[in-house]
Amino acid sequence: MSYPLFEIASQFSINGTVENIEPFGNGHINDTFRISIKETGLSDYILQRKNHYVFKDIAGMMENIIRVTDHIRKKLELRGVGETDKKVITHIQTKTGEYFSKDVEGNYWAVFLFVEGSQSVEKIENPEHAFLAGKGFGHFQQQLADLPGKPLNETIVDFHNIEFRYRNFRKALEVNFQNRISLTQKEIDFVLEHEEEMHTLIRAHRNNEIPSRITHNDTKINNILFDRDGQILCVIDLDTVMPGLVHFDFGDAIRTAACTTEEDETDLDKITLDLEIYRSFARGFLEETKSFLTKKEIELLPHSAKFMTFIMGLRFLTDYLDGDVYYKIKHADHNIERARAQFRLVSEISRKENEMKTIIREIV
């Protein structure tokens, strides 16, 4: 779809003359463009269409982002850190003082400064990458541990709510689209066998054993910007920042970083957990967070890798049972292949869980 990009950009208080606007990055949710500024010495910008089908409350989402980035910026300034525009994303207001604009087609747009001299890494390839990713996301947690005021808005309701995911799963079983239950009984049994264990985090939270924190909810290494020397600049892609458990961020990072294959691998024998990647990420993460995380939170970090892997498998299985209505698929069996891969990783994490717990104890 084409958009009147120059007209949309003109709604924002951009410094300089817009010379060009072209697609940027490879995100799957939002549409992102780089605004090139004609004058030498002035920063370029990023223009982004926010996906209001995924994010139902754009105003609430942008309120979260501004609160979070303002808080980080103030802390950096108090510490005397220079070049803060490289250490935290800077959003630009519209000419009427808002942080987003809505076009005539009902699309929502935001603009923020392009971080000059930054680079990203698409995939964790070695323990050093894992350590930096852990340190980056751990530092993000540390920066927001004392955010004042009311809780952030929940930008995707029930995102990691295991009770909600089980309800959807059972509804899918009732519908039994094209008799797919008969094709997935092994996976269905796996989900039912693990139901009690997968309520561990929600029970601990309700019993006030672990607190609610601010979570990023998309802890892939490509959501950290680095400078040309490989040093961490800042965490980006803040649309999913909202209240949650620290385990959501830690667990999902391990799920994606320490798995030895892609999430739709069909040869299940290739799937396992790389304990060196796990150790390195955990070391970086805990360097930044162990001073304020509770003993119980730290104790449950290994379980969180299993939980986040399981919940993704459950979502893939549910979508397959529903007739593949949520996730984009490449072929008819794509979702069930994804589910099987995730469940195999759950089993591998279970097999290595004692070693994972030992690693956490050693780091702490």
Side-chain angles (χ1 to χ4, degrees), residues 108-122:
Y108 292 83
W109 298 85
V111 169
F112 49 92
L113 281 179
F114 175 75
V115 182
E116 299 288 347
S118 65
Q119 57 187 354
S120 62
V121 176
E122 284 303 312

Side-chain angles (χ1 to χ4, degrees), residues 14 44 77 88 105 146 150 184 204 227 256 273 349:
I14 289 172
D44 287 351
E77 291 170 350
V88 62
E105 300 295 330
D146 59 351
K150 65 179 183 178
T184 57
D227 65 18
T256 55
L273 188 85
I349 293 171

Side-chain angles (χ1 to χ4, degrees), residues 175-183 321 323:
V175 173
N176 193 15
F177 176 82
Q178 293 184 353
N179 195 31
R180 287 187 170 183
I181 287 178
S182 64
L183 305 174
L321 292 170

Side-chain angles (χ1 to χ4, degrees), residues 67-89:
R67 282 185 62 195
V68 162
T69 53
D70 281 354
H71 182 69
I72 293 173
R73 183 174 289 103
K74 288 175 183 175
K75 295 184 82 168
L76 293 171
E77 291 170 350
L78 284 172
R79 289 170 45 208
V81 175
E83 296 187 301
T84 55
D85 286 341
K86 291 187 176 183
K87 304 295 176 62
V88 62
I89 295 299

Side-chain angles (χ1 to χ4, degrees), residues 86-87 131-137 139 224-227 230-235:
K86 291 187 176 183
K87 304 295 176 62
F131 173 77
L132 289 172
K135 196 167 181 64
F137 287 117
H139 187 58
I224 298 175
L225 292 184
F226 298 89
D227 65 18
Q231 299 302 305
I232 297 167
L233 290 173
C234 63
V235 171

Side-chain angles (χ1 to χ4, degrees), residues 52-307:
H52 57 281
Y53 297 102
V54 174
F55 303 103
K56 308 295 186 184
D57 179 11
I58 300 295
M61 179 185 75
M62 292 306 300
E63 179 186 320
N64 284 357
I65 292 172
I66 299 306
R67 282 185 62 195
V68 162
T69 53
D70 281 354
H71 182 69
I72 293 173
R73 183 174 289 103
K74 288 175 183 175
K75 295 184 82 168
L76 293 171
E77 291 170 350
L78 284 172
R79 289 170 45 208
V81 175
E83 296 187 301
T84 55
D85 286 341
K86 291 187 176 183
K87 304 295 176 62
V88 62
I89 295 299
T90 301
H91 279 75
I92 306 302
Q93 290 180 308
T94 66
K95 293 173 180 176
T96 58
E98 305 294 331
Y99 280 102
F100 65 91
S101 176
K102 186 177 180 181
D103 67 24
V104 294
E105 300 295 330
N107 296 300
Y108 292 83
W109 298 85
V111 169
F112 49 92
L113 281 179
F114 175 75
V115 182
E116 299 288 347
S118 65
Q119 57 187 354
S120 62
V121 176
E122 284 303 312
K123 186 177 179 181
I124 289 177
E125 301 284 358
N126 53 56
E128 182 183 358
H129 280 167
F131 173 77
L132 289 172
K135 196 167 181 64
F137 287 117
H139 187 58
F140 183 75
Q141 287 278 337
Q142 185 269 331
Q143 288 175 310
L144 297 174
D146 59 351
L147 181 75
K150 65 179 183 178
L152 294 180
N153 301 299
E154 194 174 1
T155 56
I156 304 179
V157 178
D158 289 325
F159 194 35
H160 297 315
N161 183 343
I162 191 66
E163 293 175 336
F164 171 74
R165 297 302 177 186
Y166 265 101
R167 285 197 298 271
N168 286 348
F169 166 69
R170 287 192 163 90
K171 288 176 184 175
L173 291 180
E174 291 175 7
V175 173
N176 193 15
F177 176 82
Q178 293 184 353
N179 195 31
R180 287 187 170 183
I181 287 178
S182 64
L183 305 174
T184 57
Q185 193 60 56
K186 182 179 178 181
E187 291 73 34
I188 291 168
D189 291 343
F190 186 90
V191 167
L192 295 175
E193 288 164 6
H194 284 76
E195 184 168 8
E196 177 68 18
E197 180 186 6
M198 292 306 155
H199 282 70
T200 298
L201 291 176
I202 198 168
R203 279 198 305 269
H205 179 57
R206 286 178 176 163
N207 292 336
N208 296 315
E209 296 177 79
I210 54 176
S212 178
R213 297 196 181 274
I214 295 169
T215 48
H216 184 277
N217 296 299
D218 192 10
T219 46
K220 298 188 294 291
I221 195 172
N222 63 3
N223 282 328
I224 298 175
L225 292 184
F226 298 89
D227 65 18
R228 291 190 177 95
D229 296 324
Q231 299 302 305
I232 297 167
L233 290 173
C234 63
V235 171
I236 60 171
D237 199 2
L238 306 181
D239 293 1
T240 53
V241 172
M242 57 182 162
L245 304 178
V246 68
H247 307 89
F248 299 162
D249 282 1
F250 185 88
D252 203 38
I254 298 303
R255 179 186 76 86
T256 55
C259 181
T260 53
T261 66
E262 298 299 325
E263 69 177 15
D264 57 357
E265 175 61 56
T266 56
D267 185 349
L268 301 185
D269 290 336
K270 292 181 179 179
I271 299 173
T272 190
L273 188 85
D274 186 326
L275 284 178
E276 285 309 304
I277 297 294
Y278 170 81
R279 182 193 304 274
S280 296
F281 184 93
R283 185 164 59 87
F285 189 83
L286 285 166
E287 272 191 15
E288 299 289 337
T289 61
K290 66 182 179 182
S291 64
F292 64 87
L293 292 183
T294 68
K295 182 179 179 180
K296 188 68 173 179
E297 283 179 298
I298 294 172
E299 177 188 317
L300 287 172
L301 288 177
H303 170 76
S304 72
K306 187 191 297 187
F307 171 81

